[in-house]
Amino acid sequence: MVWEQLINGITLGSIYAVVALGYTLVFGVLGIINMAHGSIFMFGAFMGVVATSTFGLPLPVAFLVAVVVSGALGFLLELLALRPLRGKKGVSHLAPLISTIGVSIFLENLAHQLFGAGNKPFRTSFSEVSFQVGSITIYAVQIVIFIIAVLLMIGLSFWLSKTKAGRALRASAEDLDAASLLGVNTKKMITMTVIIASVMGGIAGILVGMAFNSVTPQMGLSMGLKGLAIIILGGMGNVRGAMAGGLILGLSETLVVMFGESGYRDAIAFMAIIVILLVRPQGIFGSSTEARR
């Protein structure tokens, strides 16, 4: 029982971490909180439902559909809601935040119109595949979710540190004006960042659908708030911090359900985050000098 709950916590934490990676990327480059990220995550989940349940497509194709649609939503978000505000005189620093909130509300209402207000089942035969290790039951989808989360974190860290595009993105994150003077196409970097972050949100959406066999238009808000809490816990703009923060929150919620009252799951998990931040205000992997990655 304990081991199974720990596995559930790691699975949930892995999903949280993938969501938080998207937040971390956008904050690291643009310095803004993208409140539309949770809604793009929700759309990714629904693309999985449409692909597998409506059209009967295999799961890998559903992942591809979610990646394409969430990436397109990220492109439109940057083009229509963020780019017009960037660099303009007299625009409040809160304007991009408000703009992404507006996009989030629009996407949630759009999902209501397209998919209905209720829960939609996410049924795949893969979700039923399980292994028995002694008295512990491990589902294949739990292993896949953890592997995907780790691969995304390793891949993102490698891309940021070892590739030319990744270094250009890091330079843009440090100082957009200086990066532009050094020849970096900062507009392209910003667009690429929002698209990659949105794709991660879409992938996380499908993972949630696979893990819980159900998706709903309201799921974006709560997941978005948790993703925001995780990047604060792990250290703003820190890739490793996003992964660690996601696992801590996922395990905290699972342990609260196992040892306490499930109704207090969110409250106690967030209380744990507050306690950690009281001890280390800059987050687990953050630093007082704002050094990143």
Side-chain angles (χ1 to χ4, degrees), residues 54-227:
T54 306
F55 294 103
L57 298 173
L59 198 54
V61 178
F63 267 96
L64 183 61
V65 172
V67 164
V68 171
V69 172
S70 56
L73 288 175
F75 174 75
L76 292 174
L77 169 69
E78 199 281 324
L79 180 67
L80 302 176
L82 297 179
R83 190 180 300 180
L85 301 174
R86 197 162 51 246
K88 279 193 173 181
K89 292 183 179 178
V91 174
S92 166
H93 68 283
L94 291 176
L97 174 66
I98 303 301
S99 182
T100 58
I101 291 175
V103 172
S104 175
I105 295 172
F106 170 77
L107 289 177
E108 185 172 329
N109 285 311
L110 180 62
H112 274 278
Q113 294 295 325
L114 294 176
F115 311 117
N119 292 355
K120 297 294 179 186
F122 191 119
R123 297 192 184 95
T124 64
S125 56
F126 183 71
S127 299
E128 305 300 325
V129 178
S130 63
F131 308 95
Q132 200 70 29
V133 182
S135 60
I136 304 170
T137 301
I138 303 174
Y139 287 90
V141 68
Q142 293 176 315
I143 299 173
V144 168
I145 287 172
F146 180 72
I147 291 175
I148 288 177
V150 172
L151 288 178
L152 283 176
M153 189 195 73
I154 294 174
L156 184 61
S157 297
F158 179 83
W159 182 72
L160 286 170
S161 60
K162 302 296 183 184
T163 68
K164 183 179 178 181
R167 286 194 288 270
L169 192 147
R170 290 172 62 198
S172 301
E174 290 294 329
D175 191 322
L176 278 174
D177 294 332
S180 181
L181 290 174
L182 292 172
V184 175
N185 187 338
T186 53
K187 291 182 180 178
K188 180 181 176 182
M189 284 295 109
I190 290 171
T191 303
M192 184 190 302
T193 299
V194 179
I195 290 175
I196 292 174
S198 300
V199 165
M200 289 191 170
I203 292 174
I206 279 209
L207 296 180
V208 165
M210 291 167 59
F212 298 103
N213 299 321
S214 177
V215 300
T216 170
Q218 294 80 30
M219 64 193 288
L221 177 60
S222 62
M223 185 62 78
L225 291 176
K226 288 180 180 178

